Amino acid sequence: MDFDDLNYGNMDFGLSQNDNIGSKFYLPSASDCMRCGLCLNSCPTYSLFKKEAETPRYRIRTIDKILNYNQAITTEEQEHLDNCLQCRACEPVCPSKMAYGELFDETQRQLARPPSLLAKIAFWFIEHKQWLTRLMPLACIYFKSGIWKPLRKSGLLKRFGLAEAEALLVEPALHQLKPYYPSKTLIVRGRVGLFTGCIAEHFDRDTLKDVVNFLTTIGFDVFIPTEQSCCGAIHQHNGRSAEQLIGNNLKVFSSMQLDAVIYTATGCGAMLNEYRHTDSQAAESFTQHLFDLNDFLLKQWPEDLKLNPAHLKIAVHEPCSQRNVLKNQQTTYKLLEKIPGLNIRSLPDNHLCCGAGGSYMLTHPENAAALRQKKIQLIDDSNADLVASSNFGCALFLNKVNDKVIHPVRLLARQLPSKS
Ligand code: SF4
Ligand code: SF4
């Protein structure tokens, strides 16, 4: 496949959100860790266990053994490495500029452990999104028929290792999104492609509908290619090749004459930005046209658009992918300031992961639940009416306990003036 045949539009949207992320970054070796400990208080597993073995520097030492010395590691070292949420909160505070995420992914590739049968099935569905879509009616029947009640009681879900995934399920949207939504304005400002991810398309439909509504209201044609795939994050962070998924997304979006590709979930965005490391012109062009929704809306905000006021107390949750990778968490606050009357506050301890951690909530349910409980306590203490979070995975996980977390675009869309 030749992904060098590019087909993007030429609209100048100013600097892309990727300006926050250096295209060529310094990648220190794991042996560059100075053992200074400055990363300890940012690490969620250290906050849980208060043990040296659950610190970034202990994991860096294990990674050093694997990558630099090709040494075997103990079961205990493996376990502590696996406990890592890959939140990358240890990166911004590290004086050695340790690229922990890169080192961790490389370690996973080298360890190349065979996945369990369940994991194999999950990877297969992620790779074959059309089959994932075909499962949705079954998920709907599952909820509507009430069969989940006896099934949960029977213990069968636990026995087959499905209890954690089942507990996270919400009723999915069944119908497909349209491939094209035209601008609602007379003058079209540009053509944008919407990246919807693998499961958010069905499980976060309300957010996507609001994104489409907002973008078309401010003058953009919105395209949602059905052939797009998962961003590849779950594969990459589990030592599997994401090449096929990346290649497909580059091919699909490159062929559409788009002025911008927009993602709504920062977890996907962090991975989509990694495409820059794919050595092709298509990848370079893709990432140049790639925008975080919040960034895009701020840059393209129409001068005459005034939102209706809302008198709500909003706490802002900063997802790890937004804070530690994209480093654009300020856009959430700036965007919410567009709504007059909001009382906007940062959620305390935003540097600590909520426990979701991509697939971590499935693989390490106890640690994930303990971290979530800390976050829920902070949400409760904040007395916020709602919590704004730009990552679908965090919202899904937190909302299972406290149904207050929504994407900031949903708040904006509610306040659009009725003539819009
Ligand atoms: S902050 Fe960086 S250099 Fe210091 S212990 Fe942590 S990983 Fe090592
Ligand atoms: S990525 Fe997160 S969980 Fe893993 S060592 Fe760093 S701070 Fe701790």
Side-chain angles (χ1 to χ4, degrees):
M1 242 180 286
D2 181 10
F3 300 123
D4 287 346
D5 294 334
L6 298 183
N7 217 355
Y8 283 104
N10 295 316
M11 185 167 281
D12 180 12
F13 285 131
L15 297 174
S16 85
Q17 58 96 21
N18 305 315
D19 302 329
N20 290 324
I21 306 163
S23 56
K24 296 271 180 273
F25 56 85
Y26 169 59
L27 179 57
S29 156
S31 54
D32 290 339
C33 173
M34 302 183 293
R35 312 268 180 264
C36 65
L38 288 174
C39 52
L40 265 57
N41 290 329
S42 299
C43 179
T45 55
Y46 183 68
S47 85
L48 276 185
F49 298 105
K50 297 288 179 209
K51 277 172 36 179
E52 174 62 24
E54 291 293 343
T55 63
R57 70 179 168 199
Y58 182 91
R59 295 189 178 115
I60 289 279
R61 198 172 55 191
T62 306
I63 289 172
D64 193 29
K65 274 187 176 180
I66 298 165
L67 294 187
N68 295 332
Y69 298 97
N70 206 17
Q71 283 178 6
I73 57 169
T74 65
T75 317
E76 201 190 339
E77 284 170 326
Q78 180 71 69
E79 189 189 316
H80 294 306
L81 194 59
D82 288 344
N83 275 346
C84 172
L85 288 114
Q86 301 179 58
C87 67
R88 294 169 66 172
C90 44
E91 286 186 14
V93 293
C94 175
S96 290
K97 299 198 186 311
M98 198 63 70
Y100 185 88
E102 290 281 313
L103 294 169
F104 190 92
D105 286 350
E106 184 52 35
T107 306
Q108 293 295 85
R109 272 192 291 273
Q110 290 224 7
L111 289 173
R113 289 171 288 173
S116 66
L117 179 63
L118 263 185
K120 264 189 198 160
I121 294 170
F123 286 129
W124 189 88
F125 275 109
I126 289 170
E127 286 158 16
H128 299 87
K129 197 176 158 186
Q130 67 280 23
W131 283 99
L132 197 59
T133 301
R134 283 174 200 159
L135 282 186
M136 295 305 144
L138 289 181
C140 251
I141 292 168
Y142 179 77
F143 275 107
K144 289 207 163 117
S145 66
I147 193 174
W148 57 272
K149 288 180 196 160
L151 212 55
R152 277 183 196 175
K153 273 192 192 149
S154 71
L156 280 174
L157 292 167
K158 218 180 178 82
R159 193 163 154 208
F160 290 105
L162 292 168
E164 276 74 32
E166 192 271 350
L168 285 171
L169 270 184
V170 289
E171 197 173 321
L174 279 187
H175 65 277
Q176 292 279 332
L177 285 162
K178 290 190 216 159
Y180 168 57
Y181 293 86
S183 161
K184 293 177 189 165
T185 57
L186 282 178
I187 298 171
V188 179
R189 297 172 65 198
R191 293 160 53 91
V192 300
L194 189 59
F195 182 83
T196 54
C198 49
I199 57 168
E201 195 166 320
H202 293 279
F203 293 107
D204 197 22
R205 182 60 62 88
D206 289 340
T207 300
L208 295 174
K209 273 168 35 184
D210 283 344
V211 173
V212 169
N213 181 30
F214 212 97
L215 288 170
T216 52
T217 298
I218 65 170
F220 290 94
D221 282 344
V222 178
F223 295 84
I224 307 178
T226 47
E227 309 81 16
Q228 63 179 297
S229 353
C230 166
C231 62
I234 295 178
H235 280 58
Q236 170 125 329
H237 301 323
N238 287 283
R240 291 178 76 88
S241 170
E243 207 174 303
Q244 189 198 339
L245 298 167
I246 295 172
N248 184 61
N249 282 328
L250 291 178
K251 183 173 153 243
V252 168
F253 284 100
S254 296
S255 65
M256 295 183 68
Q257 280 285 0
L258 297 169
D259 296 303
V261 178
I262 296 173
Y263 59 83
T264 60
T266 54
C268 302
M271 179 64 196
L272 293 173
N273 274 287
E274 296 277 317
Y275 288 14
R276 71 184 59 245
H277 302 305
T278 304
D279 191 17
S280 79
Q281 206 191 340
E284 197 181 325
S285 187
F286 176 85
T287 46
Q288 276 169 3
H289 288 80
L290 182 64
F291 286 83
D292 181 284
L293 174 72
N294 297 353
D295 275 302
F296 188 83
L297 292 181
L298 279 173
K299 280 169 185 145
Q300 298 302 320
W301 196 269
E303 267 178 33
D304 59 347
L305 177 59
K306 305 276 181 260
L307 299 180
N308 292 329
H311 299 286
L312 293 171
K313 193 171 177 188
I314 305 294
V316 175
H317 166 251
E318 299 173 7
C320 303
S321 46
Q322 184 185 42
R323 194 184 156 94
N324 305 326
V325 185
L326 301 170
K327 300 183 172 66
N328 67 344
Q329 65 271 31
Q330 287 310 320
T331 58
T332 305
Y333 299 88
K334 286 186 191 148
L335 208 50
L336 291 173
E337 281 166 14
K338 300 279 185 191
I339 303 175
L342 284 191
N343 178 350
I344 308 161
R345 292 279 179 278
S346 172
L347 201 59
D349 284 350
N350 257 328
H351 64 284
L352 286 178
C353 178
C354 66
S359 55
Y360 193 87
M361 52 188 158
L362 301 175
T363 57
H364 294 73
E366 284 174 15
N367 294 355
L371 289 166
R372 174 170 61 184
Q373 199 43 48
K374 285 182 176 217
K375 200 63 81 179
I376 294 295
Q377 189 59 55
L378 291 167
I379 292 173
D380 289 347
D381 293 347
S382 75
N383 285 321
D385 297 302
L386 289 169
V387 178
S389 173
S390 299
N391 190 36
F392 163 66
C394 306
L396 178 78
F397 189 54
L398 291 170
N399 278 338
K400 278 289 162 184
V401 180
N402 180 334
D403 201 13
K404 281 189 172 180
V405 187
I406 59 172
H407 196 287
V409 75
R410 299 209 58 207
L411 285 163
L412 298 181
R414 286 178 192 183
Q415 302 313 121
L416 276 170
S418 50
K419 71 178 175 55
S420 299

